[in-house]
Amino acid sequence: MKVPHLPQDLPFNDDQKTWLAGFFSGLHSRLLVKEESVVHAETKPQVKGLTILYGTQTGNAESVAYETAEKAKEYGLTATVHDMDDVDAQIFVKSSRILIVTSTYGEGEMPDNAENLWQTMKSDNAPKLDGTFYSILALGDTSYDEFCLAGKLWDERLEELGATRVTSRVDCDIDFEQPAEEWMIATLPGIADKGDDGEAVADGASAPKKKSKFGRKNPLQATLKEKRVLNQKGSSKEIVHYEFSLEGSGEFYKAGDALNVIPQNQPDLVDAFLEHLKFSGEEKPSWNGENHSLREIFTRFLDIRTPSKEFVKALAESASDHKLLEMIANEDNSALNDYLWGKDTLDLLRGYPNVTLSLAEVLSLLKPIAPRAYSISSSLNKHNDEVHLTIGSVRYKNGERSYNGTCSTWLADIVETGEKVPVYFAPNKSFAVPEDDKAPMIMVGPGTGIAPFRAFLEEREVQASPGDNWLIFGDRNSATDFIYRDEIEALQEKGVLTKLDLAFSRDQEEKIYVQDKMRENGEELFAWLERGGYFFVCGDAYYMAKDVDKALHDVIETHGKMSEDDAKEYVNQMKKQKRYVRDVY
């Protein structure tokens, strides 16, 4: 017997059969859609958002932030990365999981791109962060007094606002790669278990940045093609121009980036160090799991010139130097710096002739040789497969001894053209020629601070950019220290360099500096800013950059007819728009 199961099998007339067929077809479709939505709801993973903020001056914190975002995927987290200058306090309200990676700039200051956000978050109007989970990675250098202070301040402030620390802050010295990796491994699984699983992911960059195959652990061996002293005979300074080949490396850079050079210690310093410690240098101690001679370790791997704080403390304890120990215990950095001024590690060892440190102690107390980051002074578009540097050689006398800067004089005195130098690039996203090629540029760079602006002007020359360019340059004496003079004057003749102001401090009785030229041309400078001009500064962080910053505020206040507070806000807006950017050291 046939069992009726379809409309055509049932005892209905044709109209009824047609209606029933449509009804069952529609019901079947709705059931399928419902079933699919149920399956989709069951299988769709809950988004675990993670917000990563970075504060950076040279690009290291930014690189680590993107590496952290990539690693976060292993723990089911969808991470977005933000420049601190691109967000406001609401990012903390919207995000239940936050990681901060920040460097410290100058004398314990926030990096330039973090200052505005920090000012908001440390104010009384900062949002409460109950329900927010966080951790901090701080990058720094123990040779500076306020080691990792920016990271410490963020850590304390987020806790004050009610946020919950997931893992303890990690403070990294110059050798930051390994502790940064350990921080990620410790923090990411813990923070993945906190916060809101379904929270919306904050808009931001999530894709990892293209990473070079070369780095501090695996540097590019670049051939030194040319070097020449830029100062004229009789100068009190030595500034050297270097050209390195990138041929076959596949490496590239943009004007504004930096090149890290990994130097070696001077042979005569290594000899004196070994002699004091009573070693031949041929010994092969157990060190770092590698089989190097002691001479090679002191030449290529460890900083035997600048004493670490741990080294100073160990010597003071062994010598029972209570005065020095009191400075260290009281964190009297001013007195400690006065005591250490001009001294190197060998001076300290000779200063305590009755103290004997074992070789194992010496090896453990010395810091690794730090790469030196130099602003690139060339445009890759003008100098194919080349990168240029402009470096002042550091030489001075203190008592009977002569001293040499580790990297600057290694390059100037030891490395010959045709030899290889270990290097790697450090991108600097903000310190760059404006994307708008019509935007005016004001560049303040005395001495070697001219380096990136040579690159900027070459870039605008090659691109035939119509934007106005103003260079404010200076040094000690025009006759001997007007470096790149021929190139600068040629750029003026071509119309690439619209305006040039020079401040040679020792050409007259009253010293004139770049900040004086800014004030002298204040009305025009403000007019350039009002046209959307970008203001760049490169050079000394401790004196010049602060004086230039003060002059900039004064010019804006005077010629913009503003109050002091309004001028500050004007400058803050320039920083936020990446129109006031500094590359200072």
Side-chain angles (χ1 to χ4, degrees):
M1 178 180 174
K2 184 177 180 182
V3 178
H5 60 282
L6 294 173
Q8 61 265 31
D9 298 320
L10 297 175
F12 298 117
N13 61 37
D14 290 342
D15 290 340
Q16 290 171 323
K17 288 179 180 179
T18 300
W19 182 87
L20 285 168
F23 171 77
F24 283 117
S25 176
L27 180 62
H28 179 65
S29 296
R30 288 193 294 274
L31 288 172
L32 283 176
V33 170
K34 184 175 181 181
E35 182 179 339
E36 287 176 2
S37 67
V38 170
V39 171
H40 183 69
E42 290 175 349
T43 59
K44 182 180 179 181
Q46 290 288 322
V47 174
K48 287 189 172 185
L50 173 65
T51 297
I52 304 175
L53 307 176
Y54 67 83
T56 189
Q57 199 71 28
T58 61
N60 285 335
E62 180 181 6
S63 298
V64 173
Y66 279 99
E67 289 172 18
T68 306
E70 185 66 12
K71 193 164 190 65
K73 295 176 183 177
E74 300 175 18
Y75 302 93
L77 291 161
T78 303
T80 51
V81 180
H82 301 265
D83 182 322
M84 286 190 180
D85 240 350
D86 294 338
V87 297
D88 57 28
Q90 286 303 303
I91 194 77
F92 290 94
V93 177
K94 296 174 182 176
S95 310
S96 64
R97 302 179 187 88
I98 289 183
L99 300 180
I100 288 179
V101 183
T102 185
S103 61
T104 297
Y105 155 69
E107 300 175 58
E109 301 166 36
M110 290 289 163
D112 283 346
N113 77 312
E115 184 60 32
N116 286 338
L117 184 62
W118 170 248
Q119 291 299 328
T120 301
M121 291 303 293
K122 78 172 188 177
S123 72
D124 294 338
N125 297 323
K128 296 300 180 185
L129 301 182
D130 300 330
T132 298
F133 298 89
Y134 78 96
S135 186
I136 308 282
L137 180 72
L139 306 185
D141 183 341
T142 51
S143 64
Y144 287 88
D145 293 336
E146 303 294 354
F147 173 61
C148 287
L149 182 60
K152 295 172 184 176
L153 292 173
W154 274 112
D155 195 12
E156 293 169 2
R157 184 56 177 156
L158 294 187
E159 184 179 45
E160 289 172 357
L161 294 171
T164 302
R165 188 183 297 107
V166 174
T167 53
S168 297
R169 184 190 70 253
V170 171
D171 297 335
C172 303
D173 203 351
I174 52 173
D175 196 8
F176 63 84
E177 289 89 346
Q178 185 62 36
E181 177 78 13
E182 292 170 357
W183 172 77
M184 294 178 208
I185 293 171
T187 300
L188 289 170
I191 206 164
D193 291 336
K194 309 293 184 183
D196 302 324
D197 283 355
E199 77 173 47
V201 178
D203 291 334
S206 56
K209 298 216 161 182
K210 184 178 179 181
K211 192 174 180 182
S212 168
K213 62 183 177 181
F214 299 107
R216 198 169 69 83
K217 303 293 186 185
N218 177 39
L220 167 67
Q221 299 296 325
T223 301
L224 176 62
K225 293 179 64 175
E226 181 183 339
K227 65 177 175 179
R228 66 179 186 273
V229 176
L230 295 171
N231 308 87
Q232 301 302 310
K233 187 176 180 180
S235 174
S236 59
K237 305 176 77 172
E238 180 185 85
I239 299 176
V240 185
H241 174 85
Y242 299 92
E243 298 181 4
F244 299 92
S245 172
L246 301 176
E247 189 173 357
S249 68
E251 286 294 89
F252 63 92
Y253 63 90
K254 64 175 180 59
D257 288 348
L259 186 71
N260 288 291
V261 179
I262 303 175
Q264 296 182 12
N265 289 307
Q266 292 270 9
D268 58 349
L269 179 60
V270 174
D271 289 341
F273 203 72
L274 287 167
E275 182 183 353
H276 181 86
L277 295 174
K278 296 180 172 54
F279 289 107
S280 69
E282 303 310 310
E283 299 84 358
K284 291 193 174 180
S286 175
W287 176 80
N288 220 23
E290 298 184 33
N291 187 32
H292 297 293
S293 71
L294 192 55
R295 180 178 298 279
E296 189 176 9
I297 292 170
F298 286 158
T299 300
R300 295 179 50 209
F301 300 108
L302 292 178
D303 185 350
I304 62 171
R305 188 182 186 284
T306 306
S308 68
K309 291 182 178 178
E310 294 79 10
F311 190 93
V312 175
K313 184 179 180 182
L315 271 181
E317 288 175 343
S318 298
S320 299
D321 187 334
H322 300 296
K323 185 177 180 180
L324 183 54
L325 287 171
E326 187 176 349
M327 290 182 207
I328 296 170
N330 295 336
E331 297 185 354
D332 189 350
N333 292 322
S334 178
L336 189 58
N337 288 338
D338 287 344
Y339 170 75
L340 293 174
W341 190 88
K343 296 184 177 71
D344 64 7
T345 305
L346 183 59
D347 286 327
L348 292 180
L349 286 171
R350 288 173 173 173
Y352 297 97
N354 296 324
V355 171
T356 303
L357 296 176
S358 69
L359 180 57
E361 287 176 310
V362 171
L363 293 174
S364 68
L365 292 169
L366 296 174
K367 292 174 62 174
I369 288 183
R372 269 57 170 180
Y374 295 107
S375 302
I376 292 170
S377 56
S378 57
S379 163
L380 188 59
N381 289 320
K382 182 165 183 175
H383 305 279
N384 185 44
D385 278 340
E386 290 183 1
V387 59
H388 300 179
L389 298 179
T390 307
I391 302 174
S393 303
V394 177
R395 308 178 194 276
Y396 64 94
K397 290 196 72 171
N398 186 20
E400 297 299 316
R401 282 190 64 196
S402 295
Y403 299 79
N404 296 308
T406 300
C407 189
S408 63
T409 59
W410 174 67
L411 287 173
D413 302 342
I414 307 298
V415 180
E416 300 290 345
T417 54
E419 293 184 352
K420 304 285 187 182
V421 173
V423 301
Y424 62 98
F425 288 98
N428 192 340
K429 183 180 73 173
S430 298
F431 201 86
V433 175
E435 291 184 11
D436 179 2
D437 65 357
K438 299 182 185 65
M441 292 196 307
I442 304 161
M443 299 161 283
V444 182
T448 56
I450 197 176
F453 304 136
R454 177 180 186 259
F456 281 18
L457 290 168
E458 287 184 344
E459 185 71 12
R460 282 208 150 173
E461 178 190 14
V462 171
Q463 301 294 342
S465 302
D468 289 333
N469 304 301
W470 181 355
L471 176 65
I472 305 177
F473 169 74
D475 211 316
R476 292 177 179 172
N477 301 103
S478 58
T480 56
D481 303 320
F482 191 170
I483 62 174
Y484 297 120
R485 179 173 187 164
D486 292 345
E487 294 181 19
I488 289 170
E489 290 178 347
L491 288 168
Q492 275 187 292
E493 290 178 12
K494 291 179 182 179
V496 176
L497 183 55
T498 315
K499 183 174 172 61
L500 173 66
D501 278 292
L502 301 170
F504 291 102
S505 61
R506 301 185 185 183
D507 276 358
Q508 60 287 308
E509 186 175 343
E510 184 179 352
K511 291 184 178 178
I512 297 174
Y513 298 105
V514 287
Q515 61 268 23
D516 300 315
K517 290 295 180 180
M518 288 172 58
R519 289 190 172 93
E520 182 182 315
N521 295 272
E523 184 176 357
E524 186 174 2
L525 195 156
F526 182 70
W528 280 48
L529 297 179
E530 286 288 273
R531 288 197 286 129
Y534 283 65
F535 189 83
F536 297 97
V537 184
C538 182
D540 169 58
Y542 291 98
Y543 300 105
M544 184 277 297
K546 292 178 180 178
D547 292 337
V548 166
D549 184 74
K550 177 66 168 62
L552 178 64
H553 281 80
D554 291 346
V555 164
I556 291 169
E557 184 178 342
T558 300
H559 297 282
K561 297 179 173 54
M562 300 180 191
S563 67
E564 184 178 341
D565 288 341
D566 286 343
K568 286 180 181 177
E569 181 56 29
Y570 190 101
V571 172
N572 285 338
Q573 285 304 310
M574 286 179 60
K575 289 180 178 178
K576 198 169 185 64
Q577 295 162 3
K578 304 294 190 294
R579 289 175 48 228
Y580 176 20
V581 192
R582 304 188 294 177
D583 178 9
V584 294
Y585 37 84

